[in-house]
PDB file of all heavy atoms in Angstrom:
ATOM      1  N   TYR R   1      13.403  16.696 -17.549  1.00  0.00           N
ATOM      2  CA  TYR R   1      14.177  17.072 -16.369  1.00  0.00           C
ATOM      3  C   TYR R   1      14.251  15.933 -15.350  1.00  0.00           C
ATOM      4  O   TYR R   1      14.799  16.123 -14.268  1.00  0.00           O
ATOM      5  CB  TYR R   1      13.583  18.322 -15.716  1.00  0.00           C
ATOM      6  CG  TYR R   1      13.933  19.600 -16.443  1.00  0.00           C
ATOM      7  CD1 TYR R   1      13.168  20.048 -17.515  1.00  0.00           C
ATOM      8  CD2 TYR R   1      15.036  20.363 -16.069  1.00  0.00           C
ATOM      9  CE1 TYR R   1      13.491  21.219 -18.200  1.00  0.00           C
ATOM     10  CE2 TYR R   1      15.361  21.528 -16.740  1.00  0.00           C
ATOM     11  CZ  TYR R   1      14.587  21.954 -17.801  1.00  0.00           C
ATOM     12  OH  TYR R   1      14.907  23.109 -18.466  1.00  0.00           O
ATOM     13  N   ARG R   2      13.702  14.792 -15.680  1.00  0.00           N
ATOM     14  CA  ARG R   2      13.765  13.587 -14.856  1.00  0.00           C
ATOM     15  C   ARG R   2      13.252  13.811 -13.429  1.00  0.00           C
ATOM     16  O   ARG R   2      13.938  13.485 -12.448  1.00  0.00           O
ATOM     17  CB  ARG R   2      15.189  13.023 -14.832  1.00  0.00           C
ATOM     18  CG  ARG R   2      15.736  12.626 -16.184  1.00  0.00           C
ATOM     19  CD  ARG R   2      17.149  12.077 -16.122  1.00  0.00           C
ATOM     20  NE  ARG R   2      17.196  10.863 -15.327  1.00  0.00           N
ATOM     21  CZ  ARG R   2      17.828  10.754 -14.159  1.00  0.00           C
ATOM     22  NH1 ARG R   2      18.457  11.799 -13.648  1.00  0.00           N
ATOM     23  NH2 ARG R   2      17.837   9.623 -13.499  1.00  0.00           N
ATOM     24  N   PRO R   3      12.051  14.368 -13.278  1.00  0.00           N
ATOM     25  CA  PRO R   3      11.517  14.511 -11.919  1.00  0.00           C
ATOM     26  C   PRO R   3      11.265  13.132 -11.323  1.00  0.00           C
ATOM     27  O   PRO R   3      11.010  12.161 -12.047  1.00  0.00           O
ATOM     28  CB  PRO R   3      10.214  15.279 -12.127  1.00  0.00           C
ATOM     29  CG  PRO R   3       9.788  14.904 -13.505  1.00  0.00           C
ATOM     30  CD  PRO R   3      11.063  14.776 -14.297  1.00  0.00           C
ATOM     31  N   ASP R   4      11.316  13.048 -10.014  1.00  0.00           N
ATOM     32  CA  ASP R   4      11.031  11.777  -9.355  1.00  0.00           C
ATOM     33  C   ASP R   4       9.555  11.412  -9.474  1.00  0.00           C
ATOM     34  O   ASP R   4       9.191  10.244  -9.312  1.00  0.00           O
ATOM     35  CB  ASP R   4      11.435  11.847  -7.889  1.00  0.00           C
ATOM     36  CG  ASP R   4      12.941  12.034  -7.718  1.00  0.00           C
ATOM     37  OD1 ASP R   4      13.694  11.598  -8.611  1.00  0.00           O
ATOM     38  OD2 ASP R   4      13.361  12.631  -6.701  1.00  0.00           O
ATOM     39  N   GLY R   5       8.695  12.390  -9.724  1.00  0.00           N
ATOM     40  CA  GLY R   5       7.269  12.161  -9.902  1.00  0.00           C
ATOM     41  C   GLY R   5       6.590  13.475 -10.235  1.00  0.00           C
ATOM     42  O   GLY R   5       7.224  14.526 -10.231  1.00  0.00           O
ATOM     43  N   MET R   6       5.277  13.414 -10.546  1.00  0.00           N
ATOM     44  CA  MET R   6       4.551  14.624 -10.930  1.00  0.00           C
ATOM     45  C   MET R   6       3.176  14.673 -10.268  1.00  0.00           C
ATOM     46  O   MET R   6       2.499  13.648 -10.130  1.00  0.00           O
ATOM     47  CB  MET R   6       4.330  14.686 -12.443  1.00  0.00           C
ATOM     48  CG  MET R   6       5.566  14.867 -13.285  1.00  0.00           C
ATOM     49  SD  MET R   6       5.085  15.223 -15.014  1.00  0.00           S
ATOM     50  CE  MET R   6       6.610  14.842 -15.862  1.00  0.00           C
ATOM     51  N   VAL R   7       2.786  15.885  -9.885  1.00  0.00           N
ATOM     52  CA  VAL R   7       1.409  16.202  -9.507  1.00  0.00           C
ATOM     53  C   VAL R   7       0.785  16.918 -10.705  1.00  0.00           C
ATOM     54  O   VAL R   7       1.345  17.891 -11.205  1.00  0.00           O
ATOM     55  CB  VAL R   7       1.346  17.112  -8.265  1.00  0.00           C
ATOM     56  CG1 VAL R   7      -0.097  17.523  -7.981  1.00  0.00           C
ATOM     57  CG2 VAL R   7       1.949  16.416  -7.052  1.00  0.00           C
ATOM     58  N   ILE R   8      -0.376  16.432 -11.144  1.00  0.00           N
ATOM     59  CA  ILE R   8      -0.964  16.967 -12.374  1.00  0.00           C
ATOM     60  C   ILE R   8      -2.420  17.354 -12.154  1.00  0.00           C
ATOM     61  O   ILE R   8      -3.206  16.580 -11.593  1.00  0.00           O
ATOM     62  CB  ILE R   8      -0.882  15.935 -13.519  1.00  0.00           C
ATOM     63  CG1 ILE R   8       0.576  15.695 -13.909  1.00  0.00           C
ATOM     64  CG2 ILE R   8      -1.688  16.386 -14.727  1.00  0.00           C
ATOM     65  CD1 ILE R   8       0.745  14.615 -14.949  1.00  0.00           C
ATOM     66  N   CYS R   9      -2.763  18.562 -12.586  1.00  0.00           N
ATOM     67  CA  CYS R   9      -4.161  18.971 -12.726  1.00  0.00           C
ATOM     68  C   CYS R   9      -4.396  19.132 -14.222  1.00  0.00           C
ATOM     69  O   CYS R   9      -3.880  20.057 -14.845  1.00  0.00           O
ATOM     70  CB  CYS R   9      -4.443  20.270 -11.973  1.00  0.00           C
ATOM     71  SG  CYS R   9      -6.194  20.715 -12.005  1.00  0.00           S
ATOM     72  N   ALA R  10      -5.141  18.225 -14.795  1.00  0.00           N
ATOM     73  CA  ALA R  10      -5.209  18.072 -16.246  1.00  0.00           C
ATOM     74  C   ALA R  10      -6.034  19.163 -16.919  1.00  0.00           C
ATOM     75  O   ALA R  10      -6.990  19.701 -16.344  1.00  0.00           O
ATOM     76  CB  ALA R  10      -5.805  16.714 -16.593  1.00  0.00           C
ATOM     77  N   ALA R  11      -5.665  19.464 -18.143  1.00  0.00           N
ATOM     78  CA  ALA R  11      -6.453  20.375 -18.979  1.00  0.00           C
ATOM     79  C   ALA R  11      -7.782  19.712 -19.338  1.00  0.00           C
ATOM     80  O   ALA R  11      -7.895  18.480 -19.402  1.00  0.00           O
ATOM     81  CB  ALA R  11      -5.683  20.728 -20.248  1.00  0.00           C
ATOM     82  N   GLY R  12      -8.800  20.530 -19.568  1.00  0.00           N
ATOM     83  CA  GLY R  12     -10.101  20.016 -19.945  1.00  0.00           C
ATOM     84  C   GLY R  12     -10.031  19.187 -21.222  1.00  0.00           C
ATOM     85  O   GLY R  12      -9.364  19.555 -22.178  1.00  0.00           O
ATOM     86  N   GLY R  13     -10.735  18.043 -21.216  1.00  0.00           N
ATOM     87  CA  GLY R  13     -10.733  17.164 -22.374  1.00  0.00           C
ATOM     88  C   GLY R  13      -9.648  16.110 -22.357  1.00  0.00           C
ATOM     89  O   GLY R  13      -9.551  15.293 -23.272  1.00  0.00           O
ATOM     90  N   SER R  14      -8.797  16.095 -21.320  1.00  0.00           N
ATOM     91  CA  SER R  14      -7.757  15.077 -21.214  1.00  0.00           C
ATOM     92  C   SER R  14      -8.391  13.696 -21.055  1.00  0.00           C
ATOM     93  O   SER R  14      -9.462  13.536 -20.462  1.00  0.00           O
ATOM     94  CB  SER R  14      -6.849  15.362 -20.017  1.00  0.00           C
ATOM     95  OG  SER R  14      -6.139  16.567 -20.182  1.00  0.00           O
ATOM     96  N   THR R  15      -7.700  12.678 -21.581  1.00  0.00           N
ATOM     97  CA  THR R  15      -8.150  11.290 -21.462  1.00  0.00           C
ATOM     98  C   THR R  15      -7.022  10.463 -20.866  1.00  0.00           C
ATOM     99  O   THR R  15      -5.905  10.951 -20.656  1.00  0.00           O
ATOM    100  CB  THR R  15      -8.533  10.719 -22.827  1.00  0.00           C
ATOM    101  OG1 THR R  15      -7.355  10.670 -23.654  1.00  0.00           O
ATOM    102  CG2 THR R  15      -9.594  11.584 -23.513  1.00  0.00           C
ATOM    103  N   ALA R  16      -7.302   9.183 -20.633  1.00  0.00           N
ATOM    104  CA  ALA R  16      -6.271   8.299 -20.106  1.00  0.00           C
ATOM    105  C   ALA R  16      -5.076   8.234 -21.049  1.00  0.00           C
ATOM    106  O   ALA R  16      -3.925   8.154 -20.609  1.00  0.00           O
ATOM    107  CB  ALA R  16      -6.858   6.906 -19.879  1.00  0.00           C
ATOM    108  N   GLU R  17      -5.334   8.289 -22.357  1.00  0.00           N
ATOM    109  CA  GLU R  17      -4.249   8.228 -23.337  1.00  0.00           C
ATOM    110  C   GLU R  17      -3.334   9.444 -23.257  1.00  0.00           C
ATOM    111  O   GLU R  17      -2.155   9.379 -23.610  1.00  0.00           O
ATOM    112  CB  GLU R  17      -4.817   8.110 -24.754  1.00  0.00           C
ATOM    113  CG  GLU R  17      -5.477   6.778 -25.070  1.00  0.00           C
ATOM    114  CD  GLU R  17      -6.830   6.612 -24.376  1.00  0.00           C
ATOM    115  OE1 GLU R  17      -7.471   7.650 -24.051  1.00  0.00           O
ATOM    116  OE2 GLU R  17      -7.231   5.449 -24.137  1.00  0.00           O
ATOM    117  N   THR R  18      -3.868  10.571 -22.771  1.00  0.00           N
ATOM    118  CA  THR R  18      -3.078  11.797 -22.670  1.00  0.00           C
ATOM    119  C   THR R  18      -1.819  11.588 -21.844  1.00  0.00           C
ATOM    120  O   THR R  18      -0.770  12.166 -22.128  1.00  0.00           O
ATOM    121  CB  THR R  18      -3.929  12.922 -22.042  1.00  0.00           C
ATOM    122  OG1 THR R  18      -5.116  13.122 -22.828  1.00  0.00           O
ATOM    123  CG2 THR R  18      -3.145  14.230 -21.968  1.00  0.00           C
ATOM    124  N   PHE R  19      -1.908  10.752 -20.820  1.00  0.00           N
ATOM    125  CA  PHE R  19      -0.787  10.568 -19.899  1.00  0.00           C
ATOM    126  C   PHE R  19      -0.083   9.227 -20.095  1.00  0.00           C
ATOM    127  O   PHE R  19       0.728   8.825 -19.274  1.00  0.00           O
ATOM    128  CB  PHE R  19      -1.274  10.710 -18.455  1.00  0.00           C
ATOM    129  CG  PHE R  19      -1.948  12.023 -18.198  1.00  0.00           C
ATOM    130  CD1 PHE R  19      -3.318  12.111 -18.107  1.00  0.00           C
ATOM    131  CD2 PHE R  19      -1.199  13.179 -18.106  1.00  0.00           C
ATOM    132  CE1 PHE R  19      -3.940  13.334 -17.903  1.00  0.00           C
ATOM    133  CE2 PHE R  19      -1.805  14.402 -17.904  1.00  0.00           C
ATOM    134  CZ  PHE R  19      -3.184  14.485 -17.810  1.00  0.00           C
ATOM    135  N   GLY R  20      -0.396   8.556 -21.219  1.00  0.00           N
ATOM    136  CA  GLY R  20       0.193   7.254 -21.483  1.00  0.00           C
ATOM    137  C   GLY R  20       1.705   7.289 -21.559  1.00  0.00           C
ATOM    138  O   GLY R  20       2.394   6.375 -21.089  1.00  0.00           O
ATOM    139  N   HIS R  21       2.275   8.378 -22.132  1.00  0.00           N
ATOM    140  CA  HIS R  21       3.732   8.439 -22.280  1.00  0.00           C
ATOM    141  C   HIS R  21       4.421   8.578 -20.930  1.00  0.00           C
ATOM    142  O   HIS R  21       5.536   8.080 -20.739  1.00  0.00           O
ATOM    143  CB  HIS R  21       4.119   9.590 -23.209  1.00  0.00           C
ATOM    144  CG  HIS R  21       3.799  10.954 -22.693  1.00  0.00           C
ATOM    145  ND1 HIS R  21       4.734  11.794 -22.146  1.00  0.00           N
ATOM    146  CD2 HIS R  21       2.611  11.626 -22.634  1.00  0.00           C
ATOM    147  CE1 HIS R  21       4.154  12.929 -21.790  1.00  0.00           C
ATOM    148  NE2 HIS R  21       2.870  12.854 -22.065  1.00  0.00           N
ATOM    149  N   LEU R  22       3.762   9.242 -19.973  1.00  0.00           N
ATOM    150  CA  LEU R  22       4.349   9.378 -18.631  1.00  0.00           C
ATOM    151  C   LEU R  22       4.277   8.050 -17.881  1.00  0.00           C
ATOM    152  O   LEU R  22       5.228   7.650 -17.206  1.00  0.00           O
ATOM    153  CB  LEU R  22       3.620  10.467 -17.848  1.00  0.00           C
ATOM    154  CG  LEU R  22       3.732  11.890 -18.385  1.00  0.00           C
ATOM    155  CD1 LEU R  22       2.863  12.832 -17.557  1.00  0.00           C
ATOM    156  CD2 LEU R  22       5.178  12.371 -18.374  1.00  0.00           C
ATOM    157  N   ILE R  23       3.136   7.372 -18.014  1.00  0.00           N
ATOM    158  CA  ILE R  23       2.969   6.084 -17.342  1.00  0.00           C
ATOM    159  C   ILE R  23       3.946   5.063 -17.924  1.00  0.00           C
ATOM    160  O   ILE R  23       4.585   4.295 -17.191  1.00  0.00           O
ATOM    161  CB  ILE R  23       1.511   5.610 -17.478  1.00  0.00           C
ATOM    162  CG1 ILE R  23       0.580   6.583 -16.734  1.00  0.00           C
ATOM    163  CG2 ILE R  23       1.352   4.192 -16.943  1.00  0.00           C
ATOM    164  CD1 ILE R  23      -0.888   6.354 -16.998  1.00  0.00           C
ATOM    165  N   ALA R  24       4.097   5.078 -19.259  1.00  0.00           N
ATOM    166  CA  ALA R  24       5.023   4.154 -19.908  1.00  0.00           C
ATOM    167  C   ALA R  24       6.458   4.408 -19.474  1.00  0.00           C
ATOM    168  O   ALA R  24       7.270   3.476 -19.393  1.00  0.00           O
ATOM    169  CB  ALA R  24       4.907   4.274 -21.425  1.00  0.00           C
TER     170      ALA R  24
END
C-alpha cells in the first residue's frame, strides 16, 4: 500500500533479518 513509513511492535522471536525487506 506504499505507506510513507511504519510503526512496528514486533512478534516474539523477530530478528534484524525479519525487517530486512522493509529496510531494503
Side-chain angles (χ1 to χ4, degrees):
Y1 282 86
R2 300 180 62 247
D4 296 332
M6 293 190 198
V7 175
I8 293 175
C9 185
S14 295
T15 64
E17 290 73 25
T18 303
F19 303 104
H21 65 102
L22 295 176
I23 295 170

